[in-house]
Structure formats: structure tokens, C-alpha cells
Amino acid sequence: KSKTQKCEERKFVREEVLAQQIEHLCQKVSIPDEWKEKYMLKVQEWEKEKYHSSVVFAQKLKDKIETVKTRLDRLADAYLDQAIELSEFKEKKNKLIEQKAEFEEKLRDFERKGNHWLELLKNWIYDANQAENFVKTKNFPQMRNFLKTAGSNRILLGGKLIMNFQKQYELLSDLPPQARAIGSSGAEQKAINVKWWCVLNEARTFFENTEV
């Protein structure tokens, strides 16, 4: 149907085969219910830690701003009392104004970004878990919508549906198939657990570095 792209494919794909491929792609980047719960509990821990450190960080910036304001007031009083020359007053005033502007910019930036990455992380966990539920219920319209947001460049090539996943979903797609298998035990299960926790930590790093 495209007026700009010429399709060279001559191989047809049966509907049930395409449906299986869609299910596979969704399952490949999904988070099972068990790990959704574990991830959310860990995120709650991070929220508590970040809340305390955020309050402390913001207060320190506010204290620095107030300190600079006090120094500006004292500097103005010293000039009015003719304790310092105009040239010295201007030089010191400009430096203090620059410091104040720097602290205020840091505070605005922090209040704008804050811990927004935590919300992004929670949304990712929820969406990836929903992908598994869509597969279980054979909800193909929702699977289609999910794949649209999870990646790009969805094409049929040689009878196979392929696409590029976003970074946060690549982390899940790189997990081995046994990570979602039921019945693992012992050393194998421990190794799988380590992989799942690595995914969460890498996702945290990704979202922390994501621009708002």
C-alpha cells in the first residue's frame, strides 16, 4: 500500500503463524506476576530511600541560597556604610549573584526531575506485566498496541515478524527462555533469580539517566 516503499516479499504468512509470532514477541519482553510483585516491593524500598535523601538535598540547596542572600544583604550594608569601595562592591556582588543563580537553577532542575525515574520504572514494570496477561487472554488488539510502544521497525521478512525493542525492553528480551519457565529449582533457580534482579538494576540505571 505504500507509495514510497516497494515490497519484494512474495511469501505469505498464515494468520495463525503470525499470531504465534506476536505472542512470542510479547512473551519475550514480559514480566511474570511473580516478578512484578518482587520488583514493585523493591521499588517501594527505593522510593522511601529517595524521599529522605531528596528532602535533605533540596533543603541543603535552599540553605545555600539563603546564605548567599544574607551575604548580599551584608555586602550592601557595608557599601552603604562606606566600608568598601564601589568597584569592590560590584565585584563581590556579581560573584554572589552568580552563586545564587547557580543554586537556584540546581533546585529548579531537581524539582523538575526529582524522582521521576521511579514513576517511569513502575510504568515499565506494569506494562511489561500486562504484556504477559495479554498473551494469556489472547488479547491481540492489546498485544498489537503494546508492541507499538515497546519498539519500532516492525516488519515481516521471510515470513517472520521482527522488530527493534526499546532499551528497557531489550533488557527483558535478552533473558534466557528458562527465566520464564516453571519448575526450576536449586542452583538453576538461583541463577535465574540473579538475572531477574540484574534486569531491574539495569532498568533503574536506564530510567535514572532518562531525560524528563
Side-chain angles (χ1 to χ4, degrees):
K1 293 181 180 181
S2 174
K3 295 180 180 180
T4 59
Q5 299 291 330
K6 184 178 180 181
C7 180
E8 302 293 342
E9 288 288 302
R10 294 292 182 268
K11 185 175 181 180
F12 292 93
V13 181
R14 293 180 62 85
E15 180 180 346
E16 60 271 23
V17 174
L18 179 59
Q20 290 175 354
Q21 293 184 26
I22 292 173
E23 289 181 12
H24 172 72
L25 285 174
C26 286
Q27 189 70 45
K28 190 176 181 182
V29 292
S30 67
I31 295 177
D33 291 339
E34 175 190 1
W35 281 99
K36 175 200 171 185
E37 297 303 320
K38 291 180 179 180
Y39 278 8
M40 285 301 192
L41 287 173
K42 190 62 179 179
V43 171
Q44 287 176 11
E45 290 181 19
W46 288 340
E47 281 183 313
K48 292 177 182 178
E49 293 171 1
K50 286 296 177 180
Y51 174 77
H52 175 71
S53 61
S54 296
V55 170
V56 173
F57 180 76
Q59 189 58 52
K60 284 183 178 179
L61 284 175
K62 291 176 182 178
D63 291 344
K64 288 180 179 179
I65 292 171
E66 288 303 315
T67 297
V68 174
K69 286 181 179 179
T70 300
R71 293 179 64 186
L72 279 167
D73 290 340
R74 290 176 180 173
L75 183 64
D77 290 340
Y79 172 68
L80 292 173
D81 292 339
Q82 298 183 340
I84 57 175
E85 298 293 330
L86 178 60
S87 58
E88 184 181 359
F89 167 73
K90 288 182 176 180
E91 181 182 354
K92 290 183 177 180
K93 178 184 175 182
N94 290 337
K95 288 181 179 179
L96 289 171
I97 289 177
E98 288 179 4
Q99 287 182 4
K100 179 172 171 287
E102 180 184 350
F103 294 144
E104 288 175 338
E105 177 61 28
K106 286 183 178 180
L107 183 59
R108 283 194 298 270
D109 186 58
F110 176 74
E111 289 175 342
R112 179 174 63 86
K113 289 185 177 181
N115 294 320
H116 182 63
W117 65 270
L118 281 164
E119 289 303 315
L120 295 176
L121 182 60
K122 286 192 287 187
N123 289 338
W124 168 75
I125 295 170
Y126 174 79
D127 290 342
N129 176 249
Q130 281 294 92
E132 182 181 74
N133 294 330
F134 295 150
V135 173
K136 289 179 179 178
T137 57
K138 303 292 183 180
N139 192 330
F140 285 100
Q142 290 295 353
M143 280 189 260
R144 176 198 61 197
N145 294 336
F146 170 75
L147 291 178
K148 283 183 178 179
T149 60
S152 59
N153 299 328
R154 296 170 300 280
I155 61 174
L156 276 170
L157 185 62
K160 185 177 181 180
L161 176 63
I162 59 175
M163 63 179 289
N164 296 326
F165 287 112
Q166 295 178 14
K167 174 62 179 179
Q168 64 270 37
Y169 290 103
E170 277 186 6
L171 297 173
L172 292 166
S173 69
D174 289 339
L175 283 169
Q178 58 267 34
R180 294 181 179 83
I182 299 175
S184 300
S185 60
E188 183 182 16
Q189 185 60 54
K190 288 182 179 179
I192 290 173
N193 291 346
V194 169
K195 291 182 183 297
W196 276 107
W197 287 120
C198 284
V199 167
L200 180 62
N201 286 318
E202 289 177 20
R204 170 182 174 165
T205 299
F206 170 77
F207 287 116
E208 279 184 315
N209 296 322
T210 298
E211 291 293 332
V212 179

